[in-house]
Structures are given as C-alpha cells and as structure tokens.
C-alpha cells in the first residue's frame, strides 16, 4: 500500500506541465490527486511520509537542484498535512472504509484547503523569483487553472470509486493519470502557442511607428515581455546607439561603449531584413540559464526581422521629414541672412490679419538702409553681404517676442509686429530697432555707420497684406524725403488718396479769405484741474467741404509754398487769443504746432518774433510744438532755427513723444522744455504694460532733465489719476475739453468747474498732493511746478 502511494506520488510529480517565466521554469504536477486518494484510503501519517518520499525520489531522478528539491518536499508535506488535518477536523479518520458518497463532502473541503494553500505558498515565491506581479500570476489563466482543479477532483473521486470496487484496479491509476496529463498538457501547449502567436503579432504590430525612439522603446519593452527576458538591448551599428531596458522601462540610451554589459545569459540575434545587410543586434538577457524552445527561437527571429524593418522605415521617414523641412525653410527664408523672405512675411501677415480681432493690432515696419549702395560700390559685394548679415542679426536680436523679421530683398527689411496693445507701440518698437542698427558695424577693422529709414503702417481694415506693405512703403519714402528716421503712415499724406489732391487748388483762396481758423484745447493741471495752457489746433473752414481736420490738409499746405502764410495765420490767431484771455485775467501760454519744414526756413524765427512783438507779448507766452526728428545733415539749419527761438525765450515742446524720437541724443541736440506723451500710449496704458512703461520712462526722463511732461488724449478719470500717480503733471484731452474757439474757451474758464474759475475739472482729493501756486503766477506746462507725486 505504502509503495503504491509512493509510486503514485512520484508519477504525479514527474508528469508535470512546464512553464517558463524569465529564466525560471515552473512545473505544475498531479501530485495532489495522488495524495488526496491516499488520504481517503490510508492513515494520514503514512500518506504524509509517502508524499515526502515520492517527491524526494522524483526530484532525485530528474536531478532537480537541491534547494528546489527541499522546497518541493517541504511544501508538499505541508499541503498534505493541511488536507489531512482538515479531514480529521471534519471527523474522518484515514484508512476507514467509508463509501465514496460519504467522503465527497469532507474530501472536497480538504482538497479546497490544499488548492488554496498551494496557490498562496507558490505564487508569491514565483513572483519573487521572477520579478512578476503576484496579482498578475493569480489572474493569469485562471479559468484553465479552475478547470484543472475541478478535473482533478473528479479524478480523485473516480479513483476512489474504482478502489472501492476492487483495490487491484489501483494499478490502473498511473496510466489513467498519464493519459489525463497528456491531454491536459496538450491543451496547455496549444493555448500557450496561440497566445504566443498573438503576442508576437501584437509586438510586431506595435513596432510600426514613424518615430525611431518610439520604435526602439516599444521593441525593448515589448521584446522583454514577449520573451519573458530580464533585459533586452538593441544596438544600432550605423548610428552607434544602444538602447537597453526591461519590460517596464528603458534603463539606457546612448553610445554602446559608455555602458557596462549586464551579467547573465545573452541570446543575440542580428537585425537583418530580407536580402539586406544587418543594421545591428538585438540581445535578450536572462539572469539565469535559459534554453529557448524552437518556437521561441523562431519567434525571436521573426521579431528581429520586424524590428529591422521598423528601424529602417523610421530612419527613412525621419530623413524624408528632414528634407521636406529643409525645403520648406529654404522656400520661406532668405539664403543670405536666414531671415524670413517676402513670401513668408506675406503668408504670416495674412494669417495674423485673419485673427486680428482677438489679438490686438498688427503693424508693419519697413526698413531701408541709407547709402547701402555706396558700401557695395566702394567696399565690394562681399562687404555688403556682411553688412546685411549684421543688420539681420541686430534686428533679430532687438525684436520683440514673436515679431517676425524679414528681408524683402536688397537692403530692404521688414518687421511684422503683432498683438500690439496700441498702434502707438509700433512706433516705439520701431525706434528701438532702428537704434539697434545705429551702432557702427565692424568690417575688416573699419567701422561703418549704417543709417536706415523706417516706415510704419497699421493694418488697414481692408486690402490685406498687399495694402499694408504699400502703406508702409509710402511711410518709408515719406521718412526718406523728410529726412526723418521713422514715419508712420497717414492717409492724409498718401498721394494715392485722391480726395486730398484737389485741395491744393483751393489753398491760395483759403489763405486770402482767412478760411483757416484755430481751435484751442486747454491743457490742465492733472492734480488741481486748473487750466495751465492751451494748444492751438488749425481748422480749415472750407466753403464747400465744411470743416477739414489738419491731418487731411497739412501735407498739401507744406508742399504748396503757402506754408509760411498758413503758419503766420495760425500764429496770429493764437497770439490774439492769448491776449484776449490775458485781458480777462487768464494768463495762459499758447502752444502752437510747427511744421518741420518751417524749421528748415532760416527766416522762421524772425517772423515768429515779429508776431510776438506785434501782439506785444513776452516770448514765454508761446510754446512751439515740434513733431519731427531731423537727420544730422539737416540739423545744422534746424539747430540754428531752434537755437534762435530758444535764445529769444520761446518755449519748445517735443510732440508725440515716444513715437518718433525718445533717444537721448535727439534731446541733447534739441534743447526743449517739455515732452508731450503721445495719445496712443495714454489710450493703451490701462491694458498694456509696455505703454505704461513708456509713460513712466518719459516722466522719469522729464524729471531728470527738468522738463515738464504733458499727456495727450486723456479721456477718462482713471487715466487722469493713473497719469498723475505716475508723476505726470499736466494733460489735455476730451475728459477736460475738446478743441474749441477762443471765445468759447474763455467762457468755460470764467465758468470754471464747481464754481472755481480757471479750472475745468474738480481737484483730485489727495491731501498734500497739490501744491498751491502763488496767485498771479499760473504754471505753464513748460515748468514742473510741483514735485511729482509718486507712489512710494
Ligand atoms: P497733435 O498736436 O497731437 O494734436 C492733438 C490732436 O489730438 C488734435 O487733433 C486733438 O483734437 C486731438 N485730441 C485731443 N484730445 C483728444 C482726446 O481726448 N481724444 C482724442 N481721440 N483726440 C484728442 P487735430 O486737431 O485733428 O490735430 C491733428 C494734428 O494736426 C495735431 O496733432 C498736429 O500735429 C497737427 N496740427 C494741428 N494744428 C496744426 C497747426 O496749426 N500747424 C501744424 N503744423 N500742425 C498742426
Ligand atoms: Ca501738438
Ligand atoms: Ca501730439
């Protein structure tokens, strides 16, 4: 009986189904069927001992490693003891000849205990030994395992029925177990085979990526998973790259020499496709000894070949992409400077004009180098090219964030500004860009000064990029003609604007018939609301066209030869107004706009002083607002004119400050008394930090040079207060008053705001903020009478 049991256990152990996980092979045996039968028919101690003996003998026969033999013997003895104990607790004593029917219940429970305990003991150890998740092991093939458990239980019952009929039939049990085993292992093999093919298909499918990195990563992790390898590595000979990792992640990616070889068994496969040379190696690495089955070897070759194809495809795709990108770049860029070309500029501009509504103002700056032809002619084209490259580099370096710099050809460049908070900001940025060009360029030890003219246009409502480019071009030629660095496109000065041309013929009559009148806009102390000056703004009362604004007729007047007459008419009316106000007790200076052309006229100062004398007014009651910068060549005359005016005691103001000059050098050439912050910055100051910064630096500049600062276009109380907080003392704008005839302004001064004559707005109620001025001496905008009140 004992011998039979031992034999039974031995056969059950030997007939195992082998499954390899990593480098560990696990056998699943029939042993529990054997000892469950034993427990049903024999005393428990016997069965326990026979089990130990049977397992031990099998281990010795198949030459299993000592430690694993000990583990197997111990585990099986524990399991059989647990089952025996269960039967005992259920009141069944081994060896009794109970009927099978009585035994089913207790036997089922005991078997269940055995199965559960077996899983609990084995799976964590497999998990630990192979680095596999235990939860995964519990889930894997659970249905097959459950079926096996049920089958085994029926095998146990069947065996007992046979034994009860005739104990000699026990001899038939081992063949029965064997045939069952063959059927079972066959199924397992078929199933594993099928799964293996599916996994191979999935793994090779996943290799079909266009990005080489993805291919390599997928190959490493997928390969490790597919072959249950501890590590997989791929070495590409062409690029000298080695990628290594486990089923979970990459552990190395770099040159092959820089990493030590791992330990353990390595199975190498060359990466070669059909009739093509190999491109590298695929290596599987196992910590322990492993022998791949024939199927696995075939799978490995298939996988390597698929990987080879995938690597080739990804490389080809990358090359294709690179070439396409190179072509796209060449088509959109200038070969000499690497800047965008005209085509790219037009495309990008059109794109931005399309989304303009949501993204702020789009503007274009056109830059043309002055005297570039001379550089080419005297120093040669190679030197010219180097100048262009330098210019490109400087523009690129000075440009704001996403603004696009382009070379349109020759010595013409363009910068596309987008997302501007306000149109005035374009002029400010343009100024910074042209200043960057101003620094001399080193050429073979020679220093060359590059001067440039810029034309700015803000995106028109229609006409798209073509119109924007045309307008910037018009502005640029205007700048060149007027000898200015930068000019902003104004429709009134566009010769393509036909309505303007017909005005020319009407001019002589306008002068003769006094059709030019002047409106006055008060300039107000931002703190107290007191009127401190007034700006004269010309109007043309055209008999047929009604009132025409200066921007529509100024250019025509400037070019007509009637400019001196026009200027004199404006000056006369302004000085008459000053006298009227003075007599009424409001001693306000008047600010008169001066055309840059007047500054080129050496007779201009004389005529101004003559007008002052004629009206019997001290020179400090007149402020002249200058709107233009002039290039050095013209500055000599301008210097003279301005010098005479200044020396005579006339105040000078720089108009539209921030949009045209801002460089200190201009300020040092033109000694002015006042800066007028352009309306564009005031409009944008609440929404744009850039605009606010321009205002702040203008105010700071004013303070350090002891100049007064006037803000234009103040339209709201918050703007007034913000400007005042920034230290700006005076302002003009619709908040206080629109331009109006001299008599209307006088009436408004008499009436005052809140019963305070001379004021047009209530004071800002900040204790100590407003410095009261001594009576009889009203502050002109030219002098900063109060210390700027700045937030701490
Ligand atoms: P400017 O010197 O910058 O004058 C300010 C302009 O802004 C004026 O336009 C004025 O009416 C307007 N303005 C004032 N406050 C506000 C405000 O709160 N909101 C808005 N939206 N606009 C405001 P105007 O009168 O059409 O004058 C335009 C330009 O024509 C002047 O700009 C000046 O450069 C020139 N100009 C005017 N009169 C003369 C003149 O007699 N001689 C010369 N040479 N140029 C003149
Ligand atoms: Ca002005
Ligand atoms: Ca202005």
């Amino acid at each position: 009986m004992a011998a039979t049991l031992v034999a039974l256990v031995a056969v059950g152990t030997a007939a195992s189904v082998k499954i390899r996980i990593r480098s560990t092979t696990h056998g699943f045996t029939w042993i529990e069927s054997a000892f469950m039968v034993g427990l049903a028919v024999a005393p428990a101690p016997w069965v326990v001992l026979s089990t130990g003996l049977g397992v031990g003998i099998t281990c010795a026969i198949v030459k299993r490693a000592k430690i694993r033999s000990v583990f197997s013997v111990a585990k099986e003895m524990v399991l059989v003891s647990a089952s025996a104990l269960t039967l005992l607790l259920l009141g069944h004593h081994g060896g009794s000849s109970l009927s099978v029917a009585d035994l089913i219940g207790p036997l089922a429970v005991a078997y269940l205990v055995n199965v559960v305990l077996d899983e609990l003991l084995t799976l964590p150890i497999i998990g630990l030994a192979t680095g596999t998740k235990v939860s995964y092991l519990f889930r894997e093939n659970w249905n097959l395992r459950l079926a096996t458990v049920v089958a085994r239980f029926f095998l146990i019952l069947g065996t007992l029925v046979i034994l009860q009929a005739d104990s000699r039939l026990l001899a038939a049990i081992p063949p029965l177990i064997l045939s069952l085993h063959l059927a079972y292992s066959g199924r397992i093999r078929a199933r594993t085979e099928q799964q293996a093919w599916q996994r191979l298909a999935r793994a090779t499918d996943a290799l079909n990526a266009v990005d080489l990195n993805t291919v390599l990563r997928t190959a490493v992790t997928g390969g490790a998973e597919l072959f249950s390898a501890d590590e997989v590595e791929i070495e590409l000979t062409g690029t000298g790259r080695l990628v290594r990792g486990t089923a979970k992640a990459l552990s190395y990616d770099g040159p092959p020499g820089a990493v030590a070889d791992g330990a353990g068994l390595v199975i190498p496969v060359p990466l070669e496709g059909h009739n093509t040379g190999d491109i590298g190696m695929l290596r599987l690495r196992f910590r322990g000894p492993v022998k791949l089955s024939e199927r696995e070897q075939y799978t490995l070759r298939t996988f390597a070949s698929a990987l080879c194809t995938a690597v080739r495809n990804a490389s080809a795709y990358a090359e294709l992409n690179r070439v396409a990108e190179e072509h796209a770049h060449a088509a959109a860029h200038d070969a000499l400077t690497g800047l965008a070309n005209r085509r790219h500029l037009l495309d990008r501009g059109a794109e931005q004009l399309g989304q303009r509504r949501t993204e702020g103002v789009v503007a274009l700056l056109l830059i043309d180098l002055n005297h570039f032809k001379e550089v080419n002619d005297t120093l040669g084209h190679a030197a010219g090219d180097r100048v262009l490259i330098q210019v490109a580099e400087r523009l690129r370096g000075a440009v704001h964030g996403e603004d696009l710099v382009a070379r349109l050809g020759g010595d013409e460049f363009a910068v596309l500004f987008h997302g501007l908070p306000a149109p005035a900001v374009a002029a400010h940025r343009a100024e910074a860009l042209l200043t960057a060009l101003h620094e001399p360029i080193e050429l073979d030890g020679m220093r060359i000064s590059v001067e440039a003219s810029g034309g700015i246009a803000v995106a028109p409502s229609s006409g798209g990029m073509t119109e924007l480019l045309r307008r910037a071009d018009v502005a640029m030629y205007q700048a060149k003609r007027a000898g200015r660095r930068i000019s902003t496109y104004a429709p009134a000065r566009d010769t393509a604007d036909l309505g303007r041309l017909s005005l020319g013929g009407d001019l002589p009559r306008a002068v003769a018939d006094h059709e030019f009148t002047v409106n006055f806009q008060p300039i107000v102390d931002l703190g107290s609301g007191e009127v401190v000056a007034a700006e004269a703004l010309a109007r043309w009362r055209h008999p047929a066209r009604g009132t025409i604004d200066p921007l529509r007729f100024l250019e025509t007047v400037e070019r007509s030869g009637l400019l001196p007459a026009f200027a004199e008419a404006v000056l006369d009316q302004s000085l008459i107004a000053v006298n009227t106000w003075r007599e009424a007790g409001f001693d306000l200076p008047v600010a008169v706009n001066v055309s840059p052309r007047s500054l080129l006229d050496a007779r201009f100062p004389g005529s101004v002083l003559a007008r002052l004398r004629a009206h019997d007014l001290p020179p400090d009651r007149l402020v002249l607002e200058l709107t233009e910068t002039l290039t050095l060549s013209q500055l000599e005359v301008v210097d003279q004119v301005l010098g005479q005016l200044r020396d005579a005691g006339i105040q000078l103001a720089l108009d539209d400050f921030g949009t045209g000059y801002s460089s200190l050098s201009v300020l040092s050439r033109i000694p002015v008394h006042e800066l007028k912050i352009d309306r564009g910055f005031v409009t944008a100051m609440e929404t744009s930090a850039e605009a606010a910064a321009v205002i702040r630096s203008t105010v700071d500049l004013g303070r350090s040079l002891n100049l007064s600062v006037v803000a234009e276009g103040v339209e709201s109380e918050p703007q007034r207060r913000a400007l005042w907080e920034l230290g700006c003392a005076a302002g003009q704008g619709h908040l206080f008053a629109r331009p109006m005839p001299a008599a209307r302004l006088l009436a408004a001064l008499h009436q005052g705001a809140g019963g305070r004559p001379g004021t047009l707005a209530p004071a800002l109620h900040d204790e100590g903020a407003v410095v009261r001025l001594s009576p009889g001496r009203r502050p002109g905008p030219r002098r900063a009478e109060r210390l700027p009140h700045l937030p701490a």
Side-chain angles (χ1 to χ4, degrees):
M1 179 65 143
T4 315
L5 262 176
V6 170
L8 217 54
V9 167
V11 169
T13 311
S16 70
V17 175
K18 291 198 170 53
I19 292 175
R20 178 179 69 80
I21 299 177
R22 308 270 150 93
S23 49
T24 319
T25 309
H26 303 274
F28 295 91
T29 67
W30 296 91
I31 180 168
E32 46 284 90
S33 308
F35 65 61
M36 285 312 297
V37 170
L39 283 179
V41 299
W46 278 47
V47 182
V48 174
L49 283 177
S50 312
T51 301
L53 206 58
V55 175
I57 288 171
T58 311
C59 285
I61 291 173
V62 302
K63 297 199 181 97
R64 198 179 278 188
K66 206 178 283 171
I67 177 138
R68 293 185 62 190
S69 307
V70 172
F71 173 73
S72 299
V73 171
K75 185 193 86 176
E76 296 307 343
M77 286 176 77
V78 167
L79 290 180
V80 70
S81 307
S83 298
L85 203 64
T86 312
L87 279 178
L88 208 64
L89 288 176
L90 293 171
H92 174 75
H93 302 278
S96 56
S97 46
L98 279 171
S99 72
V100 176
D102 292 333
L103 265 174
I104 287 181
L107 218 51
V109 178
Y111 182 51
L112 202 65
V113 167
N114 168 40
V115 168
V116 171
L117 202 60
D118 190 4
E119 300 263 286
L120 287 180
L121 274 179
T122 319
L123 295 186
I125 288 175
I126 295 181
L128 217 65
T130 61
T132 319
K133 260 212 183 109
V134 177
S135 59
Y136 167 77
L137 289 175
F138 271 108
R139 260 181 289 118
E140 194 192 35
N141 279 332
W142 67 270
N143 45 357
L144 195 66
R145 273 160 42 219
L146 188 69
T148 313
V149 167
V150 173
R152 280 178 182 159
F153 188 64
F154 280 105
L155 174 72
I156 293 164
L157 290 184
T159 310
L160 288 177
V161 170
I162 293 171
L163 280 179
Q164 227 165 31
D166 189 339
S167 57
R168 275 168 308 174
L169 284 177
L170 195 60
I173 301 295
L176 189 68
I177 290 182
L178 265 179
S179 51
L180 264 171
H181 164 68
L182 287 180
Y184 175 64
S185 57
R187 251 195 93 185
I188 289 263
R189 207 174 302 124
R191 186 140 171 165
T192 351
E193 199 98 330
Q194 188 196 0
Q195 282 176 348
W197 284 118
Q198 283 170 354
R199 294 221 309 259
L200 175 64
R202 270 202 303 273
T204 50
D205 251 10
L207 292 180
N208 267 327
V210 289
D211 169 45
L212 184 62
N213 290 333
T214 313
V215 169
L216 294 177
R217 186 170 15 87
T218 319
V220 167
T221 53
E225 169 100 41
L226 184 63
F227 300 104
S228 198
D230 290 308
E231 232 179 26
V232 168
E233 86 183 20
I234 298 164
E235 184 175 345
L236 299 179
T237 34
T239 49
R241 179 175 178 186
L242 186 130
V243 179
R244 181 188 288 177
T246 63
K248 291 194 189 87
L250 290 193
S251 56
Y252 178 81
D253 184 351
V259 67
D261 286 350
L265 175 85
V266 172
I267 300 180
V269 212
L271 292 175
E272 55 190 1
H274 307 289
N275 58 46
T276 49
D278 61 5
I279 56 166
M281 273 291 182
L282 168 70
R283 298 189 194 95
L284 306 184
R285 180 167 285 124
F286 300 91
R287 265 187 290 244
V290 158
K291 191 164 160 26
L292 294 189
S293 70
E294 213 159 296
R295 176 188 48 79
E296 284 176 317
Q297 283 175 24
Y298 178 76
T299 306
L300 183 54
R301 283 196 303 275
T302 311
F303 184 74
S305 153
L307 174 56
C308 177
T309 310
V311 168
R312 278 180 203 285
N313 284 350
S315 308
Y317 190 82
E319 179 62 13
L320 209 70
N321 251 358
R322 196 185 57 74
V323 171
E325 257 168 38
E326 224 172 64
H327 280 178
H329 190 270
H333 289 79
D334 169 47
L336 178 67
T337 60
L339 294 178
N341 60 16
R342 179 183 291 264
R343 167 122 153 261
H344 188 43
L345 177 83
L346 290 177
D347 287 352
R348 178 79 84 81
E351 212 172 89
Q352 283 167 7
L353 290 184
Q355 44 185 247
R356 180 170 47 168
R357 219 146 307 202
T358 48
E359 300 209 358
V361 179
V362 176
L364 184 71
L365 165 67
L366 217 63
I367 300 170
D368 192 272
L369 306 186
N370 302 335
H371 317 301
F372 179 70
K373 198 174 163 301
E374 287 157 38
V375 174
N376 258 348
D377 289 349
T378 53
L379 299 175
H381 283 268
D385 282 356
R386 265 151 60 210
V387 169
L388 292 177
I389 292 169
Q390 280 276 326
V391 167
E393 258 166 36
R394 288 193 186 174
L395 289 178
R396 224 191 321 240
V399 93
H400 240 254
E402 284 181 22
D403 292 346
L404 179 76
V405 188
R407 179 175 170 225
L408 303 184
D411 60 349
E412 214 177 51
F413 295 83
V415 180
L416 184 68
F417 302 121
H418 95 123
L420 293 180
V425 173
H428 185 64
R429 288 196 190 171
E431 183 62 33
L433 286 168
L434 290 191
T435 304
L437 295 186
H438 219 69
E439 281 288 300
I441 289 174
E442 290 273 349
L443 261 192
D444 301 329
M446 237 188 317
R447 286 159 72 85
I448 296 184
S449 267
V450 176
E451 276 180 34
S453 304
I456 302 168
V458 170
S461 53
S462 65
M465 272 310 279
T466 324
E467 176 62 9
L468 181 59
L469 210 60
R470 191 191 71 78
R471 291 187 175 192
D473 204 50
V474 168
M476 193 188 69
Y477 276 99
Q478 218 131 59
K480 283 216 178 220
R481 230 179 323 157
R484 274 177 289 147
R485 214 146 77 144
I486 294 176
S487 170
T488 299
Y489 175 83
R493 296 193 195 149
D494 190 344
T495 39
D497 186 354
L498 291 174
R500 195 185 50 81
L501 285 177
S502 60
L503 286 175
D506 297 346
L507 275 181
R509 190 203 62 224
V511 174
D513 294 359
H514 305 286
E515 284 174 18
F516 292 112
T517 61
V518 180
N519 279 353
F520 298 89
Q521 185 174 39
I523 295 169
V524 173
D525 180 305
L526 291 178
S528 66
E530 220 166 337
V531 178
V532 293
E535 178 177 359
L537 295 159
R539 298 288 181 265
W540 184 354
R541 300 252 149 80
H542 194 282
R545 301 193 189 193
T547 305
I548 306 175
D549 280 343
L551 289 179
R552 294 201 69 77
F553 65 77
L554 275 174
E555 173 99 343
T556 318
V557 170
E558 280 176 356
R559 289 192 299 166
S560 67
L562 289 171
L563 178 65
F566 165 79
E568 201 152 304
V570 172
L571 187 59
D572 251 340
Q573 294 185 44
S574 303
L575 297 179
I576 290 170
V578 171
N579 265 331
T580 318
W581 302 328
R582 238 163 115 90
E583 281 155 19
F586 301 101
D587 187 10
L588 305 174
V590 70
V592 175
N593 293 284
V594 175
S595 163
R597 293 214 174 200
S598 298
L599 300 181
L600 295 173
D601 181 356
R603 286 163 305 179
F604 181 68
S607 93
V608 172
L609 291 171
R611 294 330 299 158
L612 277 169
R613 270 194 307 274
H615 292 278
D616 193 22
L617 275 171
D620 74 347
R621 297 295 83 188
L622 179 62
V623 181
L624 293 182
E625 296 195 359
L626 319 172
T627 20
E628 320 277 336
T629 41
L630 296 133
T631 54
L632 297 175
S633 58
Q634 289 166 320
L635 261 178
E636 231 172 278
V637 195
V638 175
D639 274 350
Q640 257 178 30
V641 169
L642 293 178
Q644 281 176 38
L645 292 168
R646 203 187 141 96
D647 291 346
I650 291 169
Q651 310 289 309
L652 300 178
L654 275 187
D655 207 352
D656 305 341
F657 196 74
T659 66
Y661 350 59
S662 78
S663 76
L664 279 169
S665 67
V666 173
L667 278 182
S668 65
R669 289 302 295 253
I670 308 172
V672 298
H673 306 82
E674 177 186 307
L675 303 177
K676 294 192 79 172
I677 298 174
D678 188 72
R679 189 170 80 222
F681 297 108
V682 175
T683 310
M685 71 183 296
E686 283 152 310
T687 51
S688 155
E690 204 177 341
V694 171
I695 294 178
R696 162 133 251 160
S697 57
T698 306
V699 169
D700 288 348
L701 190 65
R703 189 167 337 121
S704 53
L705 297 179
N706 201 19
L707 311 174
S708 52
V709 176
V710 178
E712 293 181 328
V714 183
E715 293 183 347
S716 69
E717 274 297 337
Q719 283 173 347
R720 173 191 178 191
R721 179 165 283 278
L723 285 162
W724 187 69
E725 297 283 347
L726 282 172
C728 181
Q732 71 188 92
H734 295 169
L735 172 66
F736 307 110
R738 290 180 184 253
M740 56 181 109
R744 272 251 301 284
L745 178 55
L746 182 58
L749 287 169
H750 273 304
Q751 188 178 3
R756 294 189 300 144
T759 65
L760 282 179
L764 289 176
H765 291 293
D766 276 57
E767 279 311 307
V770 179
V771 176
R772 286 272 126 213
L773 297 167
S774 54
R777 199 168 142 259
R778 294 170 190 282
R782 65 202 178 278
R783 217 171 286 136
E785 293 283 1
R786 77 170 176 70
L787 289 175
H789 173 91
L790 288 172

